[in-house]
């Protein structure tokens, strides 16, 4: 754990690391051991272990590595140029953990922040459910929710936009590709009909592996309305240097002998969208966990509305058919007197 006013190595926070590890079928029966003398030296793999090692089915860690800012002078939302020097999250000054029930909050700031902070909140769950605020991601007991927000940080340009660099670190079958799934239901996240999932290679069985899941939307207010939503995009994950990831994080070095690493960026805002300076707030929520990613389905309310909406016309058609058929039979059997 990072002490108040101290740097946090590699920004792979201890609470986040252990929440993302799918270590075994029963963590309660396993033992996590730390060789503190080797761990502090930060040059030994194996100083952090889970025993018995045979209980480890899969392991993965998510690293928040850099915050990127660029000046979108032409309002194209294309971050290939006009990038300012990045904020290295490993150099931030971080507060102590603020623990509240199943949630942990950590906030930090770069040395050259004149105001504001970057915060991460991790929430663990005991059962299936949904987040209380948008985007209301579906979670299970095998997943944790991470909410990231930038609050009150003064941008370096009036038209600044931001990106967040993420790295997925693992052993066999690292998170290496992003799947985008579409839906016709936006009940829980209005106007959003997609969900993105960072998952292992197609050759792996997702039943025993891990994932990172999010909806492509961020919000410009802490208590957002629909008009405060802003789209976000991701780049394709690319292989990164495992040695560089280990050098930047003592936790990665301690657990992984030869870490496999993939990195990608998530950018916030599209052309024509308000800039960060409009509210000086930006939040994004993602879900991390083990096993298969949760799959959204229609709620009972939506199913009931659909049943009524589709069933009522069918009933009216059937009743109309039953009424018309006897009327036609009566007309056919009627007899008429000839007219003289």
């Amino acid at each position: 754990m990072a002490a108040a006013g101290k740097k946090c190595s590699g920004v792979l926070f201890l609470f986040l690391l252990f929440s993302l590890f799918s270590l075994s079928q029963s963590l309660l029966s396993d033992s996590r051991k730390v060789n503190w003398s080797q761990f502090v030296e930060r040059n030994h793999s194996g100083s952090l272990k889970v025993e018995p090692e045979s209980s480890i089915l899969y392991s993965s860690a998510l690293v928040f590595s850099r915050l990127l800012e660029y000046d979108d002078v032409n309002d194209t939302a294309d971050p290939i140029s006009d990038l300012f020097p990045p904020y290295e999250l490993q150099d931030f000054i971080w507060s102590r953990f603020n623990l509240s029930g199943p949630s942990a909050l950590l906030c930090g700031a770069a040395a050259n922040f004149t105001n504001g902070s970057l915060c991460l909140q991790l929430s663990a769950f005991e059962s299936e459910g949904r987040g209380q605020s948008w985007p209301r991601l579906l979670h299970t007991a095998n997943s944790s929710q991470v909410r990231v927000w930038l609050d009150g940080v003064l941008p370096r340009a009036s038209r600044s936009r931001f990106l967040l660099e993420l790295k997925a670190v693992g052993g066999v079958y690292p998170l290496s590709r992003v799947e985008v799934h579409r839906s016709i239901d936006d009940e829980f996240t209005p106007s959003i009909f997609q969900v993105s999932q960072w998952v292992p290679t197609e050759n792996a069985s997702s039943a025993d592996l891990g994932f990172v899941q999010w909806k492509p939307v961020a919000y410009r207010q802490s208590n957002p309305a629909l008009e405060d939503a802003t789209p976000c995009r991701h780049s394709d994950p690319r292989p990164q240097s495992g040695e560089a990831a280990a050098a930047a994080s003592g936790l990665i070095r301690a657990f992984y002998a030869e870490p496999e690493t993939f990195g990608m960026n998530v950018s916030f805002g599209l052309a024509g969208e308000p800039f960060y300076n409009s509210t000086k707030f930006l939040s994004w929520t993602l879900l991390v966990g083990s096993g298969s990613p949760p799959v959204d389905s229609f709620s009972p309310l939506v199913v009931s509305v659909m049943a009524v909406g589709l069933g009522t016309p069918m009933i009216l058609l059937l009743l109309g058919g039953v009424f018309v058929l006897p009327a036609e039979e009566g007309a056919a059997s009627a007899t008429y007197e000839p007219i003289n």
Side-chain angles (χ1 to χ4, degrees):
M1 246 180 231
K6 298 293 185 181
K7 294 180 181 179
C8 190
S9 171
V11 196
L12 183 62
F13 308 117
L14 193 59
F15 75 87
L16 184 57
L17 176 71
F18 286 119
S19 73
L20 297 188
F21 279 150
S22 309
L23 292 174
S24 69
Q25 294 176 334
S26 177
L27 279 175
L28 296 177
S29 63
D30 297 335
S31 174
R32 284 171 280 197
K33 293 188 176 181
V34 181
N35 184 322
W36 287 108
S37 60
Q38 292 184 354
F39 184 85
V40 171
E41 291 176 2
R42 297 185 60 179
N43 58 6
H44 294 276
S45 63
S47 58
L48 173 62
K49 292 183 177 180
V50 173
E51 296 182 347
E53 293 186 14
S54 60
S55 67
I56 300 176
L57 302 178
Y58 175 75
S59 67
S60 181
L62 182 65
V63 181
F64 294 85
S65 51
R66 297 195 300 175
L67 179 67
L68 306 171
E69 180 184 358
Y70 67 100
D71 187 5
D72 192 10
V73 177
N74 298 317
D75 194 13
T76 61
D78 189 357
I80 61 173
S81 61
D82 296 318
L83 281 165
F84 293 107
Y87 294 113
E88 300 285 347
L89 270 63
Q90 66 178 353
D91 296 330
F92 274 35
I93 306 300
W94 297 96
S95 65
R96 290 184 180 274
F97 286 113
N98 183 354
L99 301 176
S100 177
S103 296
L105 174 65
L106 189 64
C107 293
N112 55 345
F113 277 9
T114 56
N115 200 8
S117 61
L118 174 72
C119 295
L120 297 97
Q121 183 179 42
L122 175 78
S123 301
F125 308 104
E126 296 181 350
S127 59
E128 183 175 309
R130 289 188 181 275
Q132 295 182 350
S133 58
W134 288 347
R136 299 202 63 196
L137 296 177
L138 177 65
H139 60 252
T140 68
N142 292 328
S143 61
S144 300
Q145 180 174 282
V146 183
R147 182 170 177 251
V148 188
W149 67 88
L150 195 63
D151 186 13
V153 174
L154 294 180
R156 288 175 278 189
S158 60
R159 291 180 166 235
S160 282
R161 298 191 193 276
F162 284 89
L163 303 90
L164 189 61
E165 182 183 83
L166 307 176
K167 293 182 180 180
V169 183
V172 181
Y173 301 126
L175 306 182
S176 58
R177 62 192 177 95
V178 175
E179 298 177 342
V180 177
H181 297 269
R182 291 172 172 79
S183 171
I184 62 171
D185 183 18
D186 68 338
E187 176 186 4
F188 299 104
T189 315
S191 77
I192 304 300
F193 297 91
Q194 295 181 358
V195 62
S196 301
Q197 298 174 170
W198 198 359
V199 293
T201 175
E202 292 181 282
N203 297 329
S205 170
S206 62
D208 296 326
L209 303 183
F211 64 88
V212 178
Q213 184 186 72
W214 68 92
K215 291 191 176 182
V217 62
Y219 296 97
R220 294 187 296 268
Q221 295 283 0
S222 56
N223 295 306
L226 181 59
E227 58 268 22
D228 299 316
T230 185
C232 60
R233 298 173 295 171
H234 66 270
S235 63
D236 291 330
R238 295 183 178 180
Q240 306 285 315
S241 169
E243 177 56 32
S249 171
L251 289 169
I252 293 292
R253 175 75 73 190
F255 191 81
Y256 289 104
E258 297 180 352
E260 294 285 338
T261 305
F262 282 78
M264 73 172 186
N265 294 328
V266 177
S267 60
F268 305 101
L270 299 178
E273 290 281 320
F275 300 100
Y276 169 78
N277 202 36
S278 64
T279 61
K280 293 186 177 63
F281 184 89
L282 188 65
S283 72
W284 180 55
T285 303
L286 61 156
L287 195 73
V288 293
S290 61
S292 300
V295 178
D296 268 324
S297 59
F298 292 114
S299 70
L301 175 62
V302 172
V303 172
S304 300
V305 171
M306 292 175 63
V308 172
L310 296 176
T312 301
M314 293 298 296
I315 293 174
L316 292 176
L317 287 173
L318 290 174
L319 291 176
V322 171
F323 174 78
V324 169
L325 183 59
E328 289 182 346
E329 290 180 349
S333 59
T335 59
Y336 298 94
E337 293 295 330
I339 299 176
N340 296 328

